[in-house]
Every structure is written in C-alpha cells, then in structure tokens.
Amino acid sequence: MRLVRFARPDESIGWGLQVQYGIQDLTLADPTLPLSTVELISKWKTYLPRIQSLAKKLGTSEQPLRILCPLDTPRKILCIGLNYRDHAIETKAPIPDEPIVFCKMPTAMIGPDSPIVLPPVSHEVDFEAELVLVIGHTMKSVTEADATAGIFGYSVGHDVSARDWQKGKPGKQWFLGKSFDTFAPLGPSIVTADEVPDTSCLRIQCRINGETMQDSTTRELIFHPAQLVAYISQVMTLDPGDVIYTGTPPGVGMARTPPRFLRDGDVVEIEIESVGVLSNPVVQG
C-alpha cells in the first residue's frame, strides 16, 4: 500500500491510498479512522482489515487533492552520514566501522512541492537524495531480525544541508546545518514494507532542473536498514512514525568541481525505484 496525506479544496486534511488511477480518500469514507497518520501507523494492525475492506470498494477521489508530507507529527528525524561506499570515496573519507548518526529537528520536515527555503545566513546549501525508513513499532535494544519486522515502510527523502554551517562553523555545526526550516522534504507517500521486500538494490537519483546529479543504487549502502534500526535502538527508544534518513550516494554539490549548490528557482527531484519521486522547488529566503 502507498499511504498519502493530503488537503482537500476546502483545506480539510485527510489520508488515503495512492492507487494506479488516483487517490482513495479513506478518511472521507470512514470518519471514524484517525486523522493522524502517526497514530494510524502505531495501530496499523488494528485498522488494516478496515482499510483493506474500504480499498476494495472505494473509487478514487474526484476532488483535486494537494499532497502533503505523509507524517503529520514527526517526533524523531534521524539521519546517517557516509553510508554509501561510493559517497565516502567521493569525499575522501574512510569507510565507517559503525553508523554515523545525527538528527534534524521536526520543524525541518516538509512535503512534496513545498519550497525548500534558502536561508540568508547560508550560501552553500547542498542536496542529498535518501531512502527513508519509517518506524512501525516501539523498539528498544532490538536484534536485526526484530528491526526488520519493526519497519513500517519507506519513503523518499531529501537531506538538505547547509555545508558552510555543517563544516565551516566552529565545532562543525552538523545539527544546525541540517535543521534549517524546510531542510527535510519527505514523500510523496509511505510505501508499506511488504511492497518493497528487497531494498538491497534500488536505484536512487537526484535531478536538478532535469539534470541528473546523483545516480547510484542501495547496493552501495554500508549499513542496511535493519542494521541501522538495531544500532540506534541500543541508545534510544524508536517509536511509530520516527524516520531514519539512510544516507546519500555520490554526486553531491560540495564534491563537484566547481561546487554546485542549490539556487533560487531550482527544482529538485529525488527518485527511488519502487518508492516514488519527490519534487520540491527552491526559493531564496
């Protein structure tokens, strides 16, 4: 299933399923369903029979729907650095022995077609295409096998990064350089894990104004999804609706000659095989 969240023409919010010919508006058909997608994910097994029943008999919405970020109240946005071998080589960094983990603030998260705003205090805003894991169960100190069962699904993410903050500020401000408002685009849907049973060789691309900037596969991942979940869960409890951005392949702007950072008027598309295409315009703040 492909779970999408949207605004109707009257600005009321709902969620439903993306199907071949459109979107099924499940919350309009059954107002007793929770409006929060995070709550839905936390009780997915409870609601799944009702969702399956509705999906069999519902047509697609005839209203024009504006697609929103699929998560309404994200709690944790965790990210992994240098998790593609080809990207580590590109940046002349050693292959990590353990995952490099950092985070973004929830205020950074936006949905498809929402603008990435270039902050006036940064002049080196970079792009990073990423496969995103969405957590489905509460997990603490789990094994890799349990971690796999705890992944609800996958989405397309963009780890926007202010490199002059991340690398140029005293102490290297990774957290701040990654957490500017609008720096965590996500969507357009969450694809349930059963729809993507094998994430070991998915093509992942980033295009700017139609020009391909990143093009690799998840075969290059150093730490696969279950390893990441199990590793992080040693430290903190992972909750339904938490997300993990799993790292980016080579081709980022800072590694280019000359560097290519995001500019006012750009349109960035992130595409991941079997998961979807996330598109966002770029505007100057």
Side-chain angles (χ1 to χ4, degrees):
M1 293 182 179
R2 293 177 180 266
L3 179 66
V4 290
R5 184 168 160 266
F6 45 77
R8 305 181 185 95
D10 64 2
E11 292 303 313
S12 61
I13 306 298
W15 59 263
L17 300 179
Q18 176 77 58
V19 294
Q20 184 176 1
Y21 298 108
I23 295 173
Q24 295 177 312
D25 188 339
L26 270 66
T27 44
L28 185 64
D30 185 351
T32 67
L33 289 168
L35 282 179
S36 166
T37 51
V38 172
E39 180 183 351
L40 172 70
I41 290 168
S42 71
K43 300 175 182 177
W44 182 252
K45 287 186 178 180
T46 299
Y47 290 111
L48 183 56
R50 201 187 314 179
I51 290 169
Q52 291 171 326
S53 176
L54 284 170
K56 288 179 181 179
K57 61 186 179 184
L58 272 184
T60 57
S61 175
E62 296 182 358
Q63 301 183 78
L65 302 174
R66 177 167 54 89
I67 304 301
L68 305 174
C69 177
L71 294 171
D72 57 301
T73 53
R75 294 180 61 186
K76 301 185 197 75
I77 304 175
L78 299 160
C79 308
I80 310 299
L82 291 175
N83 197 27
Y84 279 74
R85 291 177 186 84
D86 45 6
H87 178 51
I89 293 168
E90 168 188 59
T91 59
K92 298 180 174 60
I95 303 298
D97 295 322
E98 295 186 16
I100 299 169
V101 185
F102 60 94
C103 63
K104 291 174 175 276
M105 289 299 288
T107 47
M109 188 169 280
I110 58 173
D113 301 318
S114 294
I116 297 166
V117 180
L118 302 176
V121 294
S122 175
H123 305 288
E124 296 181 356
V125 178
D126 208 344
F127 49 90
E128 298 188 34
E130 310 220 359
L131 174 69
V132 177
L133 317 179
V134 181
I135 302 301
H137 303 301
T138 299
M139 289 183 282
K140 180 70 170 76
S141 299
V142 296
T143 65
E144 289 184 24
D146 289 338
T148 298
I151 297 172
F152 174 79
Y154 305 94
S155 193
V156 182
H158 185 177
D159 175 18
V160 186
S161 306
R163 300 297 192 192
D164 42 2
W165 281 68
Q166 178 192 0
K167 296 178 176 294
K169 290 285 187 181
K172 296 186 177 181
Q173 295 280 13
W174 274 65
F175 174 63
L176 294 180
K178 298 282 190 171
S179 287
F180 282 95
D181 291 347
T182 75
F183 273 26
L186 183 78
S189 66
I190 298 170
V191 183
T192 53
D194 60 299
E195 295 275 332
V196 193
D198 183 5
T199 60
S200 64
C201 195
L202 302 177
R203 189 177 184 185
I204 177 170
Q205 297 176 287
C206 173
R207 297 183 291 272
I208 300 180
N209 307 327
E211 179 184 358
T212 299
M213 311 299 284
Q214 295 179 275
D215 192 352
S216 186
T217 77
T218 54
R219 188 190 301 273
E220 294 289 330
L221 279 171
I222 299 166
F223 304 103
H224 60 70
Q227 286 177 297
L228 295 174
V229 172
Y231 182 84
I232 293 169
S233 77
Q234 297 176 81
V235 177
M236 67 187 73
T237 301
L238 294 171
D239 296 303
D242 289 349
V243 298
I244 302 173
Y245 284 60
T246 59
T248 199
V252 296
M254 71 172 182
R256 293 177 170 270
T257 305
R260 193 338 181 161
F261 296 115
L262 294 178
R263 307 164 186 152
D264 183 37
D266 283 342
V267 176
V268 185
E269 290 179 302
I270 311 292
E271 182 169 3
I272 301 177
E273 181 183 358
S274 301
V275 183
V277 181
L278 171 66
S279 178
N280 296 91
V282 179
V283 299
Q284 182 63 55

